[in-house]
Amino acid sequence: MRAALFALLLLAAPLAFLSGARAATPDDIFAVYARGDYEQAARLGEAAHTAPGLAIAARAVLAEDVLRDKPCMDCLKRAESLARSAIALDPHYAYGQIWLAVALGYQARLTGAVVARLANTPKQSRQALDQALADDPNNPFAISALGGWNIEIVRGGGAFLARVLYGATQAEALALFDKAEKLDPSNVAVHYQIGLSLAGYDADKFRLRIASEFRAAVAGHPQTVYERHIQDRANDLLGLADRGPREALDARIRLYQGFAD
């Protein structure tokens, strides 16, 4: 019954503003995003000129980019711009900061660690996530994203430099992942991102945890079309882990993480 009601809301909510009767609200824009119409959601969010609307627009652009076969730097730059516009209107709206950090993280995977460091990307991402958590301390997306930030810094620079230069550690990442899951144990996206982060970092060391995260993602109840797609990806990675070869699994992990190769 809940699933059917949700589907009806996704179809019905946008009708009023699409017909010009009223401006799109954040709920309206999110409904368009949730049904998978990412470009329309981005346009509506941008036109709304509110922090929530622009943040959803950034999220929509990111979702579309993540689901591409090849990453798109121009798309990531667009998501960054939308997120920064949301922050300019309200720096204390957590989701603007979260999607800015996510956009910068994906950009760093395309430019490489050296260019990202020169552009101060890791520090910008950390500052955005710190601000998001200051304003919304129990936001599972912000908490899991900060865990992913720690893992990425350690993976890229090694444990010593990551700790010295940025204060990033594996232990902090794992603690943040655990906290995000406790706060929202049914969140499909959080489970998937934790599994993907750990798979890209050390697929052997965290084999059991990675499999558990992907299984939880697959077993969850998706609230958006995007979550249904990442459930498929989690199931795909579980299958590759079971049947191999390892090279195929590693290549798929990098693809899903947004690397160019």
Side-chain angles (χ1 to χ4, degrees), residues 59 140-141 144 181 184-196 213-234:
R59 184 178 185 177
F141 290 102
S144 62
E181 288 185 339
D184 195 355
S186 63
N187 192 310
V188 171
V190 165
H191 282 297
Y192 173 77
Q193 288 300 333
I194 291 173
L196 193 62
E213 298 296 347
F214 287 150
R215 289 192 187 101
V218 171
H221 299 289
Q223 299 299 306
T224 65
V225 168
Y226 174 78
E227 290 184 352
R228 290 205 293 271
H229 282 298
I230 61 174
Q231 279 184 316
D232 290 339
R233 289 189 170 189

PDB file of all heavy atoms in Angstrom, residues 59 140-141 144 181 184-196 213-234:
ATOM      1  N   ARG A  59      21.647  17.440  -6.766  1.00  0.00           N
ATOM      2  CA  ARG A  59      21.516  15.996  -6.533  1.00  0.00           C
ATOM      3  C   ARG A  59      21.068  15.276  -7.795  1.00  0.00           C
ATOM      4  O   ARG A  59      21.547  14.181  -8.113  1.00  0.00           O
ATOM      5  CB  ARG A  59      20.508  15.763  -5.405  1.00  0.00           C
ATOM      6  CG  ARG A  59      20.339  14.312  -5.000  1.00  0.00           C
ATOM      7  CD  ARG A  59      19.365  14.207  -3.839  1.00  0.00           C
ATOM      8  NE  ARG A  59      19.264  12.847  -3.333  1.00  0.00           N
ATOM      9  CZ  ARG A  59      18.531  12.489  -2.287  1.00  0.00           C
ATOM     10  NH1 ARG A  59      17.828  13.414  -1.629  1.00  0.00           N
ATOM     11  NH2 ARG A  59      18.480  11.225  -1.892  1.00  0.00           N
ATOM     12  N   PRO A 140      22.419  11.208   7.858  1.00  0.00           N
ATOM     13  CA  PRO A 140      23.186  10.016   7.486  1.00  0.00           C
ATOM     14  C   PRO A 140      23.974  10.178   6.192  1.00  0.00           C
ATOM     15  O   PRO A 140      25.030   9.562   6.028  1.00  0.00           O
ATOM     16  CB  PRO A 140      22.119   8.929   7.348  1.00  0.00           C
ATOM     17  CG  PRO A 140      20.846   9.667   7.071  1.00  0.00           C
ATOM     18  CD  PRO A 140      20.970  10.965   7.830  1.00  0.00           C
ATOM     19  N   PHE A 141      23.483  11.018   5.276  1.00  0.00           N
ATOM     20  CA  PHE A 141      24.221  11.253   4.040  1.00  0.00           C
ATOM     21  C   PHE A 141      25.529  11.995   4.325  1.00  0.00           C
ATOM     22  O   PHE A 141      26.580  11.660   3.782  1.00  0.00           O
ATOM     23  CB  PHE A 141      23.373  12.050   3.052  1.00  0.00           C
ATOM     24  CG  PHE A 141      22.224  11.290   2.474  1.00  0.00           C
ATOM     25  CD1 PHE A 141      20.934  11.488   2.941  1.00  0.00           C
ATOM     26  CD2 PHE A 141      22.418  10.367   1.458  1.00  0.00           C
ATOM     27  CE1 PHE A 141      19.866  10.777   2.416  1.00  0.00           C
ATOM     28  CE2 PHE A 141      21.355   9.653   0.921  1.00  0.00           C
ATOM     29  CZ  PHE A 141      20.083   9.859   1.404  1.00  0.00           C
ATOM     30  N   SER A 144      27.943   9.517   6.297  1.00  0.00           N
ATOM     31  CA  SER A 144      28.552   8.491   5.441  1.00  0.00           C
ATOM     32  C   SER A 144      29.480   9.127   4.414  1.00  0.00           C
ATOM     33  O   SER A 144      30.523   8.553   4.065  1.00  0.00           O
ATOM     34  CB  SER A 144      27.476   7.656   4.745  1.00  0.00           C
ATOM     35  OG  SER A 144      26.668   8.446   3.894  1.00  0.00           O
ATOM     36  N   GLU A 181      24.834   4.135   9.569  1.00  0.00           N
ATOM     37  CA  GLU A 181      23.947   2.975   9.486  1.00  0.00           C
ATOM     38  C   GLU A 181      23.006   2.889  10.687  1.00  0.00           C
ATOM     39  O   GLU A 181      21.843   2.510  10.545  1.00  0.00           O
ATOM     40  CB  GLU A 181      24.771   1.701   9.371  1.00  0.00           C
ATOM     41  CG  GLU A 181      25.441   1.554   8.027  1.00  0.00           C
ATOM     42  CD  GLU A 181      26.152   0.218   7.899  1.00  0.00           C
ATOM     43  OE1 GLU A 181      26.454  -0.391   8.938  1.00  0.00           O
ATOM     44  OE2 GLU A 181      26.395  -0.203   6.765  1.00  0.00           O
ATOM     45  N   ASP A 184      20.191   5.428  10.192  1.00  0.00           N
ATOM     46  CA  ASP A 184      19.230   5.141   9.118  1.00  0.00           C
ATOM     47  C   ASP A 184      19.520   3.761   8.541  1.00  0.00           C
ATOM     48  O   ASP A 184      20.052   3.631   7.440  1.00  0.00           O
ATOM     49  CB  ASP A 184      19.331   6.213   8.033  1.00  0.00           C
ATOM     50  CG  ASP A 184      18.135   6.199   7.087  1.00  0.00           C
ATOM     51  OD1 ASP A 184      17.289   5.296   7.216  1.00  0.00           O
ATOM     52  OD2 ASP A 184      18.059   7.096   6.216  1.00  0.00           O
ATOM     53  N   PRO A 185      19.180   2.702   9.276  1.00  0.00           N
ATOM     54  CA  PRO A 185      19.566   1.347   8.871  1.00  0.00           C
ATOM     55  C   PRO A 185      18.923   0.854   7.586  1.00  0.00           C
ATOM     56  O   PRO A 185      19.401  -0.120   7.000  1.00  0.00           O
ATOM     57  CB  PRO A 185      19.132   0.485  10.065  1.00  0.00           C
ATOM     58  CG  PRO A 185      18.095   1.295  10.771  1.00  0.00           C
ATOM     59  CD  PRO A 185      18.482   2.728  10.578  1.00  0.00           C
ATOM     60  N   SER A 186      17.871   1.489   7.111  1.00  0.00           N
ATOM     61  CA  SER A 186      17.199   1.039   5.890  1.00  0.00           C
ATOM     62  C   SER A 186      17.555   1.874   4.671  1.00  0.00           C
ATOM     63  O   SER A 186      16.962   1.698   3.603  1.00  0.00           O
ATOM     64  CB  SER A 186      15.681   1.060   6.095  1.00  0.00           C
ATOM     65  OG  SER A 186      15.226   2.378   6.339  1.00  0.00           O
ATOM     66  N   ASN A 187      18.529   2.767   4.804  1.00  0.00           N
ATOM     67  CA  ASN A 187      18.877   3.673   3.716  1.00  0.00           C
ATOM     68  C   ASN A 187      19.678   2.932   2.646  1.00  0.00           C
ATOM     69  O   ASN A 187      20.839   2.571   2.855  1.00  0.00           O
ATOM     70  CB  ASN A 187      19.685   4.858   4.264  1.00  0.00           C
ATOM     71  CG  ASN A 187      19.843   5.974   3.265  1.00  0.00           C
ATOM     72  OD1 ASN A 187      20.230   5.749   2.126  1.00  0.00           O
ATOM     73  ND2 ASN A 187      19.545   7.188   3.694  1.00  0.00           N
ATOM     74  N   VAL A 188      19.063   2.705   1.494  1.00  0.00           N
ATOM     75  CA  VAL A 188      19.683   1.953   0.401  1.00  0.00           C
ATOM     76  C   VAL A 188      20.969   2.630  -0.062  1.00  0.00           C
ATOM     77  O   VAL A 188      22.006   1.976  -0.249  1.00  0.00           O
ATOM     78  CB  VAL A 188      18.703   1.803  -0.776  1.00  0.00           C
ATOM     79  CG1 VAL A 188      19.405   1.219  -2.009  1.00  0.00           C
ATOM     80  CG2 VAL A 188      17.519   0.932  -0.385  1.00  0.00           C
ATOM     81  N   ALA A 189      20.915   3.932  -0.261  1.00  0.00           N
ATOM     82  CA  ALA A 189      22.070   4.659  -0.796  1.00  0.00           C
ATOM     83  C   ALA A 189      23.244   4.640   0.175  1.00  0.00           C
ATOM     84  O   ALA A 189      24.405   4.513  -0.252  1.00  0.00           O
ATOM     85  CB  ALA A 189      21.676   6.095  -1.125  1.00  0.00           C
ATOM     86  N   VAL A 190      22.980   4.762   1.459  1.00  0.00           N
ATOM     87  CA  VAL A 190      24.053   4.751   2.444  1.00  0.00           C
ATOM     88  C   VAL A 190      24.754   3.392   2.460  1.00  0.00           C
ATOM     89  O   VAL A 190      25.993   3.319   2.445  1.00  0.00           O
ATOM     90  CB  VAL A 190      23.512   5.108   3.849  1.00  0.00           C
ATOM     91  CG1 VAL A 190      24.528   4.756   4.933  1.00  0.00           C
ATOM     92  CG2 VAL A 190      23.180   6.604   3.917  1.00  0.00           C
ATOM     93  N   HIS A 191      23.991   2.313   2.478  1.00  0.00           N
ATOM     94  CA  HIS A 191      24.600   0.982   2.445  1.00  0.00           C
ATOM     95  C   HIS A 191      25.452   0.794   1.186  1.00  0.00           C
ATOM     96  O   HIS A 191      26.574   0.276   1.242  1.00  0.00           O
ATOM     97  CB  HIS A 191      23.523  -0.104   2.495  1.00  0.00           C
ATOM     98  CG  HIS A 191      22.959  -0.335   3.858  1.00  0.00           C
ATOM     99  ND1 HIS A 191      23.713  -0.790   4.915  1.00  0.00           N
ATOM    100  CD2 HIS A 191      21.689  -0.182   4.339  1.00  0.00           C
ATOM    101  CE1 HIS A 191      22.954  -0.907   5.979  1.00  0.00           C
ATOM    102  NE2 HIS A 191      21.724  -0.539   5.664  1.00  0.00           N
ATOM    103  N   TYR A 192      24.897   1.209   0.060  1.00  0.00           N
ATOM    104  CA  TYR A 192      25.623   1.036  -1.207  1.00  0.00           C
ATOM    105  C   TYR A 192      26.917   1.833  -1.214  1.00  0.00           C
ATOM    106  O   TYR A 192      27.970   1.308  -1.602  1.00  0.00           O
ATOM    107  CB  TYR A 192      24.729   1.468  -2.367  1.00  0.00           C
ATOM    108  CG  TYR A 192      25.436   1.481  -3.704  1.00  0.00           C
ATOM    109  CD1 TYR A 192      25.691   0.298  -4.389  1.00  0.00           C
ATOM    110  CD2 TYR A 192      25.850   2.681  -4.272  1.00  0.00           C
ATOM    111  CE1 TYR A 192      26.348   0.309  -5.613  1.00  0.00           C
ATOM    112  CE2 TYR A 192      26.499   2.706  -5.492  1.00  0.00           C
ATOM    113  CZ  TYR A 192      26.743   1.516  -6.160  1.00  0.00           C
ATOM    114  OH  TYR A 192      27.408   1.544  -7.371  1.00  0.00           O
ATOM    115  N   GLN A 193      26.861   3.079  -0.794  1.00  0.00           N
ATOM    116  CA  GLN A 193      28.059   3.919  -0.843  1.00  0.00           C
ATOM    117  C   GLN A 193      29.129   3.425   0.129  1.00  0.00           C
ATOM    118  O   GLN A 193      30.325   3.501  -0.176  1.00  0.00           O
ATOM    119  CB  GLN A 193      27.695   5.372  -0.549  1.00  0.00           C
ATOM    120  CG  GLN A 193      26.933   6.062  -1.659  1.00  0.00           C
ATOM    121  CD  GLN A 193      27.712   6.107  -2.969  1.00  0.00           C
ATOM    122  OE1 GLN A 193      28.941   6.101  -2.977  1.00  0.00           O
ATOM    123  NE2 GLN A 193      27.004   6.139  -4.082  1.00  0.00           N
ATOM    124  N   ILE A 194      28.728   2.928   1.279  1.00  0.00           N
ATOM    125  CA  ILE A 194      29.707   2.380   2.216  1.00  0.00           C
ATOM    126  C   ILE A 194      30.392   1.167   1.591  1.00  0.00           C
ATOM    127  O   ILE A 194      31.621   1.040   1.620  1.00  0.00           O
ATOM    128  CB  ILE A 194      29.040   2.004   3.551  1.00  0.00           C
ATOM    129  CG1 ILE A 194      28.599   3.268   4.293  1.00  0.00           C
ATOM    130  CG2 ILE A 194      29.995   1.172   4.418  1.00  0.00           C
ATOM    131  CD1 ILE A 194      27.774   3.001   5.534  1.00  0.00           C
ATOM    132  N   GLY A 195      29.586   0.274   1.016  1.00  0.00           N
ATOM    133  CA  GLY A 195      30.165  -0.903   0.371  1.00  0.00           C
ATOM    134  C   GLY A 195      31.098  -0.533  -0.764  1.00  0.00           C
ATOM    135  O   GLY A 195      32.189  -1.104  -0.899  1.00  0.00           O
ATOM    136  N   LEU A 196      30.692   0.441  -1.574  1.00  0.00           N
ATOM    137  CA  LEU A 196      31.509   0.843  -2.714  1.00  0.00           C
ATOM    138  C   LEU A 196      32.803   1.509  -2.260  1.00  0.00           C
ATOM    139  O   LEU A 196      33.872   1.272  -2.837  1.00  0.00           O
ATOM    140  CB  LEU A 196      30.705   1.780  -3.616  1.00  0.00           C
ATOM    141  CG  LEU A 196      31.276   2.050  -5.011  1.00  0.00           C
ATOM    142  CD1 LEU A 196      31.356   0.761  -5.828  1.00  0.00           C
ATOM    143  CD2 LEU A 196      30.421   3.086  -5.737  1.00  0.00           C
ATOM    144  N   GLU A 213      27.126  -4.944   3.196  1.00  0.00           N
ATOM    145  CA  GLU A 213      26.564  -3.648   2.798  1.00  0.00           C
ATOM    146  C   GLU A 213      25.773  -3.770   1.498  1.00  0.00           C
ATOM    147  O   GLU A 213      24.673  -3.221   1.367  1.00  0.00           O
ATOM    148  CB  GLU A 213      27.679  -2.612   2.636  1.00  0.00           C
ATOM    149  CG  GLU A 213      28.457  -2.308   3.892  1.00  0.00           C
ATOM    150  CD  GLU A 213      27.632  -1.662   4.982  1.00  0.00           C
ATOM    151  OE1 GLU A 213      26.505  -1.207   4.705  1.00  0.00           O
ATOM    152  OE2 GLU A 213      28.125  -1.604   6.121  1.00  0.00           O
ATOM    153  N   PHE A 214      26.331  -4.480   0.539  1.00  0.00           N
ATOM    154  CA  PHE A 214      25.632  -4.625  -0.739  1.00  0.00           C
ATOM    155  C   PHE A 214      24.347  -5.442  -0.576  1.00  0.00           C
ATOM    156  O   PHE A 214      23.327  -5.144  -1.199  1.00  0.00           O
ATOM    157  CB  PHE A 214      26.548  -5.259  -1.783  1.00  0.00           C
ATOM    158  CG  PHE A 214      27.622  -4.332  -2.300  1.00  0.00           C
ATOM    159  CD1 PHE A 214      28.851  -4.833  -2.724  1.00  0.00           C
ATOM    160  CD2 PHE A 214      27.409  -2.977  -2.378  1.00  0.00           C
ATOM    161  CE1 PHE A 214      29.836  -3.990  -3.213  1.00  0.00           C
ATOM    162  CE2 PHE A 214      28.390  -2.110  -2.857  1.00  0.00           C
ATOM    163  CZ  PHE A 214      29.608  -2.627  -3.270  1.00  0.00           C
ATOM    164  N   ARG A 215      24.389  -6.462   0.259  1.00  0.00           N
ATOM    165  CA  ARG A 215      23.177  -7.247   0.493  1.00  0.00           C
ATOM    166  C   ARG A 215      22.099  -6.400   1.165  1.00  0.00           C
ATOM    167  O   ARG A 215      20.914  -6.517   0.845  1.00  0.00           O
ATOM    168  CB  ARG A 215      23.494  -8.476   1.351  1.00  0.00           C
ATOM    169  CG  ARG A 215      24.303  -9.537   0.619  1.00  0.00           C
ATOM    170  CD  ARG A 215      24.329 -10.844   1.402  1.00  0.00           C
ATOM    171  NE  ARG A 215      25.236 -11.794   0.761  1.00  0.00           N
ATOM    172  CZ  ARG A 215      26.463 -12.048   1.182  1.00  0.00           C
ATOM    173  NH1 ARG A 215      26.927 -11.439   2.262  1.00  0.00           N
ATOM    174  NH2 ARG A 215      27.232 -12.917   0.550  1.00  0.00           N
ATOM    175  N   ALA A 216      22.522  -5.545   2.108  1.00  0.00           N
ATOM    176  CA  ALA A 216      21.562  -4.655   2.760  1.00  0.00           C
ATOM    177  C   ALA A 216      20.962  -3.670   1.763  1.00  0.00           C
ATOM    178  O   ALA A 216      19.764  -3.356   1.825  1.00  0.00           O
ATOM    179  CB  ALA A 216      22.244  -3.903   3.905  1.00  0.00           C
ATOM    180  N   ALA A 217      21.780  -3.190   0.837  1.00  0.00           N
ATOM    181  CA  ALA A 217      21.275  -2.276  -0.191  1.00  0.00           C
ATOM    182  C   ALA A 217      20.253  -2.975  -1.082  1.00  0.00           C
ATOM    183  O   ALA A 217      19.189  -2.422  -1.386  1.00  0.00           O
ATOM    184  CB  ALA A 217      22.431  -1.741  -1.029  1.00  0.00           C
ATOM    185  N   VAL A 218      20.564  -4.201  -1.483  1.00  0.00           N
ATOM    186  CA  VAL A 218      19.661  -4.954  -2.355  1.00  0.00           C
ATOM    187  C   VAL A 218      18.354  -5.281  -1.641  1.00  0.00           C
ATOM    188  O   VAL A 218      17.274  -5.256  -2.246  1.00  0.00           O
ATOM    189  CB  VAL A 218      20.344  -6.257  -2.842  1.00  0.00           C
ATOM    190  CG1 VAL A 218      19.349  -7.154  -3.562  1.00  0.00           C
ATOM    191  CG2 VAL A 218      21.525  -5.926  -3.751  1.00  0.00           C
ATOM    192  N   ALA A 219      18.433  -5.555  -0.341  1.00  0.00           N
ATOM    193  CA  ALA A 219      17.249  -5.952   0.425  1.00  0.00           C
ATOM    194  C   ALA A 219      16.380  -4.772   0.834  1.00  0.00           C
ATOM    195  O   ALA A 219      15.242  -4.952   1.261  1.00  0.00           O
ATOM    196  CB  ALA A 219      17.677  -6.721   1.665  1.00  0.00           C
ATOM    197  N   GLY A 220      16.909  -3.549   0.709  1.00  0.00           N
ATOM    198  CA  GLY A 220      16.175  -2.374   1.147  1.00  0.00           C
ATOM    199  C   GLY A 220      15.000  -2.034   0.239  1.00  0.00           C
ATOM    200  O   GLY A 220      14.804  -2.627  -0.827  1.00  0.00           O
ATOM    201  N   HIS A 221      14.222  -1.072   0.690  1.00  0.00           N
ATOM    202  CA  HIS A 221      13.044  -0.625  -0.067  1.00  0.00           C
ATOM    203  C   HIS A 221      13.357   0.722  -0.720  1.00  0.00           C
ATOM    204  O   HIS A 221      13.384   1.754  -0.036  1.00  0.00           O
ATOM    205  CB  HIS A 221      11.833  -0.503   0.850  1.00  0.00           C
ATOM    206  CG  HIS A 221      11.452  -1.800   1.497  1.00  0.00           C
ATOM    207  ND1 HIS A 221      10.879  -2.838   0.794  1.00  0.00           N
ATOM    208  CD2 HIS A 221      11.599  -2.234   2.780  1.00  0.00           C
ATOM    209  CE1 HIS A 221      10.669  -3.855   1.617  1.00  0.00           C
ATOM    210  NE2 HIS A 221      11.102  -3.513   2.825  1.00  0.00           N
ATOM    211  N   PRO A 222      13.619   0.732  -2.011  1.00  0.00           N
ATOM    212  CA  PRO A 222      14.021   1.979  -2.680  1.00  0.00           C
ATOM    213  C   PRO A 222      12.909   3.016  -2.683  1.00  0.00           C
ATOM    214  O   PRO A 222      11.745   2.684  -2.905  1.00  0.00           O
ATOM    215  CB  PRO A 222      14.356   1.513  -4.101  1.00  0.00           C
ATOM    216  CG  PRO A 222      13.542   0.277  -4.299  1.00  0.00           C
ATOM    217  CD  PRO A 222      13.499  -0.392  -2.955  1.00  0.00           C
ATOM    218  N   GLN A 223      13.288   4.253  -2.432  1.00  0.00           N
ATOM    219  CA  GLN A 223      12.335   5.355  -2.437  1.00  0.00           C
ATOM    220  C   GLN A 223      12.407   6.183  -3.721  1.00  0.00           C
ATOM    221  O   GLN A 223      11.574   7.069  -3.921  1.00  0.00           O
ATOM    222  CB  GLN A 223      12.598   6.266  -1.233  1.00  0.00           C
ATOM    223  CG  GLN A 223      12.446   5.577   0.108  1.00  0.00           C
ATOM    224  CD  GLN A 223      11.041   5.038   0.318  1.00  0.00           C
ATOM    225  OE1 GLN A 223      10.065   5.788   0.200  1.00  0.00           O
ATOM    226  NE2 GLN A 223      10.927   3.766   0.624  1.00  0.00           N
ATOM    227  N   THR A 224      13.399   5.896  -4.555  1.00  0.00           N
ATOM    228  CA  THR A 224      13.576   6.639  -5.799  1.00  0.00           C
ATOM    229  C   THR A 224      14.026   5.690  -6.909  1.00  0.00           C
ATOM    230  O   THR A 224      14.507   4.581  -6.633  1.00  0.00           O
ATOM    231  CB  THR A 224      14.643   7.743  -5.652  1.00  0.00           C
ATOM    232  OG1 THR A 224      15.913   7.121  -5.423  1.00  0.00           O
ATOM    233  CG2 THR A 224      14.324   8.683  -4.498  1.00  0.00           C
ATOM    234  N   VAL A 225      13.890   6.146  -8.130  1.00  0.00           N
ATOM    235  CA  VAL A 225      14.400   5.375  -9.269  1.00  0.00           C
ATOM    236  C   VAL A 225      15.908   5.211  -9.156  1.00  0.00           C
ATOM    237  O   VAL A 225      16.455   4.145  -9.479  1.00  0.00           O
ATOM    238  CB  VAL A 225      14.014   6.072 -10.596  1.00  0.00           C
ATOM    239  CG1 VAL A 225      14.771   5.465 -11.773  1.00  0.00           C
ATOM    240  CG2 VAL A 225      12.516   5.963 -10.821  1.00  0.00           C
ATOM    241  N   TYR A 226      16.582   6.238  -8.684  1.00  0.00           N
ATOM    242  CA  TYR A 226      18.034   6.156  -8.511  1.00  0.00           C
ATOM    243  C   TYR A 226      18.399   5.001  -7.582  1.00  0.00           C
ATOM    244  O   TYR A 226      19.329   4.234  -7.858  1.00  0.00           O
ATOM    245  CB  TYR A 226      18.568   7.470  -7.952  1.00  0.00           C
ATOM    246  CG  TYR A 226      20.041   7.427  -7.611  1.00  0.00           C
ATOM    247  CD1 TYR A 226      21.005   7.518  -8.607  1.00  0.00           C
ATOM    248  CD2 TYR A 226      20.467   7.274  -6.287  1.00  0.00           C
ATOM    249  CE1 TYR A 226      22.353   7.471  -8.302  1.00  0.00           C
ATOM    250  CE2 TYR A 226      21.818   7.221  -5.974  1.00  0.00           C
ATOM    251  CZ  TYR A 226      22.752   7.320  -6.981  1.00  0.00           C
ATOM    252  OH  TYR A 226      24.087   7.256  -6.676  1.00  0.00           O
ATOM    253  N   GLU A 227      17.690   4.860  -6.492  1.00  0.00           N
ATOM    254  CA  GLU A 227      17.984   3.776  -5.558  1.00  0.00           C
ATOM    255  C   GLU A 227      17.732   2.408  -6.178  1.00  0.00           C
ATOM    256  O   GLU A 227      18.450   1.449  -5.870  1.00  0.00           O
ATOM    257  CB  GLU A 227      17.179   3.955  -4.274  1.00  0.00           C
ATOM    258  CG  GLU A 227      17.660   5.131  -3.438  1.00  0.00           C
ATOM    259  CD  GLU A 227      16.931   5.260  -2.123  1.00  0.00           C
ATOM    260  OE1 GLU A 227      15.935   4.532  -1.900  1.00  0.00           O
ATOM    261  OE2 GLU A 227      17.345   6.105  -1.299  1.00  0.00           O
ATOM    262  N   ARG A 228      16.761   2.315  -7.051  1.00  0.00           N
ATOM    263  CA  ARG A 228      16.553   1.030  -7.747  1.00  0.00           C
ATOM    264  C   ARG A 228      17.750   0.708  -8.639  1.00  0.00           C
ATOM    265  O   ARG A 228      18.172  -0.445  -8.743  1.00  0.00           O
ATOM    266  CB  ARG A 228      15.263   1.063  -8.568  1.00  0.00           C
ATOM    267  CG  ARG A 228      13.999   1.068  -7.716  1.00  0.00           C
ATOM    268  CD  ARG A 228      12.807   0.510  -8.468  1.00  0.00           C
ATOM    269  NE  ARG A 228      12.402   1.358  -9.580  1.00  0.00           N
ATOM    270  CZ  ARG A 228      11.530   2.345  -9.488  1.00  0.00           C
ATOM    271  NH1 ARG A 228      10.969   2.641  -8.306  1.00  0.00           N
ATOM    272  NH2 ARG A 228      11.194   3.047 -10.543  1.00  0.00           N
ATOM    273  N   HIS A 229      18.297   1.728  -9.281  1.00  0.00           N
ATOM    274  CA  HIS A 229      19.470   1.505 -10.139  1.00  0.00           C
ATOM    275  C   HIS A 229      20.688   1.072  -9.320  1.00  0.00           C
ATOM    276  O   HIS A 229      21.432   0.178  -9.734  1.00  0.00           O
ATOM    277  CB  HIS A 229      19.805   2.775 -10.923  1.00  0.00           C
ATOM    278  CG  HIS A 229      18.921   3.010 -12.116  1.00  0.00           C
ATOM    279  ND1 HIS A 229      18.856   2.132 -13.182  1.00  0.00           N
ATOM    280  CD2 HIS A 229      18.063   4.018 -12.416  1.00  0.00           C
ATOM    281  CE1 HIS A 229      18.008   2.584 -14.088  1.00  0.00           C
ATOM    282  NE2 HIS A 229      17.512   3.728 -13.644  1.00  0.00           N
ATOM    283  N   ILE A 230      20.904   1.705  -8.187  1.00  0.00           N
ATOM    284  CA  ILE A 230      22.082   1.326  -7.413  1.00  0.00           C
ATOM    285  C   ILE A 230      21.880  -0.019  -6.720  1.00  0.00           C
ATOM    286  O   ILE A 230      22.858  -0.710  -6.415  1.00  0.00           O
ATOM    287  CB  ILE A 230      22.520   2.422  -6.423  1.00  0.00           C
ATOM    288  CG1 ILE A 230      21.448   2.732  -5.396  1.00  0.00           C
ATOM    289  CG2 ILE A 230      22.958   3.664  -7.172  1.00  0.00           C
ATOM    290  CD1 ILE A 230      21.921   3.715  -4.313  1.00  0.00           C
ATOM    291  N   GLN A 231      20.642  -0.412  -6.492  1.00  0.00           N
ATOM    292  CA  GLN A 231      20.405  -1.782  -6.037  1.00  0.00           C
ATOM    293  C   GLN A 231      20.869  -2.779  -7.091  1.00  0.00           C
ATOM    294  O   GLN A 231      21.481  -3.803  -6.766  1.00  0.00           O
ATOM    295  CB  GLN A 231      18.923  -1.995  -5.749  1.00  0.00           C
ATOM    296  CG  GLN A 231      18.466  -1.475  -4.401  1.00  0.00           C
ATOM    297  CD  GLN A 231      17.011  -1.799  -4.134  1.00  0.00           C
ATOM    298  OE1 GLN A 231      16.153  -1.656  -5.012  1.00  0.00           O
ATOM    299  NE2 GLN A 231      16.716  -2.235  -2.924  1.00  0.00           N
ATOM    300  N   ASP A 232      20.582  -2.479  -8.350  1.00  0.00           N
ATOM    301  CA  ASP A 232      21.044  -3.347  -9.439  1.00  0.00           C
ATOM    302  C   ASP A 232      22.571  -3.415  -9.457  1.00  0.00           C
ATOM    303  O   ASP A 232      23.150  -4.478  -9.688  1.00  0.00           O
ATOM    304  CB  ASP A 232      20.529  -2.839 -10.783  1.00  0.00           C
ATOM    305  CG  ASP A 232      19.024  -3.021 -10.942  1.00  0.00           C
ATOM    306  OD1 ASP A 232      18.439  -3.855 -10.229  1.00  0.00           O
ATOM    307  OD2 ASP A 232      18.440  -2.323 -11.800  1.00  0.00           O
ATOM    308  N   ARG A 233      23.201  -2.292  -9.217  1.00  0.00           N
ATOM    309  CA  ARG A 233      24.667  -2.262  -9.212  1.00  0.00           C
ATOM    310  C   ARG A 233      25.224  -3.072  -8.036  1.00  0.00           C
ATOM    311  O   ARG A 233      26.215  -3.801  -8.177  1.00  0.00           O
ATOM    312  CB  ARG A 233      25.172  -0.824  -9.145  1.00  0.00           C
ATOM    313  CG  ARG A 233      24.948  -0.064 -10.443  1.00  0.00           C
ATOM    314  CD  ARG A 233      25.638   1.282 -10.433  1.00  0.00           C
ATOM    315  NE  ARG A 233      25.614   1.884 -11.764  1.00  0.00           N
ATOM    316  CZ  ARG A 233      26.274   2.978 -12.106  1.00  0.00           C
ATOM    317  NH1 ARG A 233      27.013   3.597 -11.195  1.00  0.00           N
ATOM    318  NH2 ARG A 233      26.208   3.459 -13.332  1.00  0.00           N
ATOM    319  N   ALA A 234      24.598  -2.941  -6.879  1.00  0.00           N
ATOM    320  CA  ALA A 234      25.037  -3.719  -5.719  1.00  0.00           C
ATOM    321  C   ALA A 234      24.907  -5.208  -6.005  1.00  0.00           C
ATOM    322  O   ALA A 234      25.809  -6.001  -5.683  1.00  0.00           O
ATOM    323  CB  ALA A 234      24.215  -3.339  -4.489  1.00  0.00           C
TER     324      ALA A 234
END
